[in-house]
Amino acid sequence: MKKLMKGVVASLAALAALAMVSCGSKKSSAVDIELWYGAAASEAGPIPADWSGYQIIKEKLNINLKLTNLPSSEADQNTKINAAGAANTLPDIFMVSNEVYSTLVSKRLLAPVDAMYAKMPNRTAKLYDADSRAFTTIDGHSYALAQPGSIVRNEGVLIRKDWLDKLGLSVPKTTDEFMAVMKAFTEKDPDGNGKNDTYGYGAFLEVSAPNEGLGRRLDPIFGAFGVAGTWDLSSAATAGLNLYKPEYYDAMVYTKQMVDAGVMDPNWLAYKKDDFRAAWKQGRFGIMREQNAAYANEGNYKPFDNNFPEGEWIVVEPPVGPKGKSSAGTYSQAYRMYAVSAKAAKEGKMDKIAELLEWMSSDEGYYLLGWGKEGENYILNNGVPTTKGLADPSKGYTESAMIPLTQLRNMVYYNGDIELASRYPTWYSKNGKEMSALKTLREMQAKAWTACIGQDKMPKPNADVKRFYEQGVVEFMTGNRALNPTEWQKFLDEFNKIGGKEWNDAGVQLAKEKNFIK
């Protein structure tokens, strides 16, 4: 009987062990994830088959990752993705252009990714802000993960703090206070040289498609009236050219007051960019909008430092207008979008894709995808990757032969301090002030700005409309055309007559089609 019981126990133990092996086998079955990526440097070739990331991802995430490098041109990428969509063979996750994105959503080929954001908190905090989610939202749902491309909000309002201190003035906040400070900078010899050679505000006509009219150097003034930039893309109800808004006229009046009061450097209409930058380094004016590196990088700041060792600029909030509006200008983030196919969602892969993306934004994934293997492709210096000190310099991540190892870096880069530290080193001015274009950038980005996502994709005016617009606003500034409500309305009527309204209507229509406005 005892032998029989021992036999039964042994059999049960064997069955239990077999069941555990069976369950363990099911648990260890890796999930296949197919990713079509946009290479950071397509000319360098695809990620090699022996890339260490494959094994790390398999061991840590239980994912078999299959990578496919998309064609380098956007047109060819679109062709490939459209063909896969038509055949219902889209990969699990893939980079997609805005042009194709809307089509795939309308055909129900993409999965909503709203639930993914909370499942990858570290990555979401770094890459997917409110603007990003709004950019990919259609009918209340986000169907793609949009991460930042170029650096935005990298300009700001700067003021001569040493001039403020000398004149016993506080940092201005409102348009009235800015006007008072500009007058003081113009009339009260803030540099103490006994000459009447300083002005309140410096600018030049830096006109572009997103910044028509008087250009972006005066955007902080127009931003105080809520009309910075060419377009209003804040909502479907208000979308259109800012030129038509009553507040645009108000901003023109304020700017004309600056000109008439003599607080604007009178050379502003003649300056080119180099002239403008030479002027602030020579101490001609005390308020300006400038770019972070053009101001704070050592080579750019040195001439000012040599001329004014005790001089000091600081970044300040843009002026607040009569209705509480304030903006240094407009910005439009360029996004890289990655979408998850509806097929992948149906196969239950959403959580694994979120897990993969969250790992990519972990320290391990960030450095591996961004720079390669520590000790082999880079060495960390205060958290910043460098190739200096590598045993084999030919393995450095900057070497052409090593570039394929970091073809996925655009999936993790977010213009963070680690990425920008080598571009913007810290140094010290003659008076001992710490200078850092990176810190300046972060200060500028923290000030008031106006999101105008899609402004760089908006239609351009025809040559006649563009010339009439740009020449007209300047004529109001110079006095060649009287700036009053009657003349302003005549200007708008003429603008409409030569094609301005058609341009406005085409822009609003495009903004709706491209999902720039909600």
Side-chain angles (χ1 to χ4, degrees), residues 56-99:
I56 294 171
I57 291 167
K58 175 70 176 294
E59 291 176 355
K60 296 205 167 186
L61 307 180
N62 208 28
I63 290 173
N64 285 323
L65 183 62
K66 179 182 178 182
L67 296 173
T68 298
N69 185 5
L70 283 166
S72 58
S73 83
E74 186 172 300
D76 291 340
Q77 292 172 16
N78 292 346
T79 298
K80 182 179 178 70
I81 292 169
N82 277 328
N88 198 27
T89 57
L90 286 169
D92 300 309
I93 179 171
F94 57 99
M95 190 175 78
V96 60
S97 71
N98 191 55
E99 182 178 339

Side-chain angles (χ1 to χ4, degrees), residues 1 22 74 130 135 137 166 224 280-281 297 302 311 336 383 401 416 451 497 510:
M1 184 67 177
S22 176
E74 186 172 300
F135 186 74
T137 297
K166 184 177 185 301
W280 70 255
K281 294 169 189 178
N297 265 359
K302 276 289 186 183
R336 296 184 187 93
K497 188 175 181 180
L510 179 71

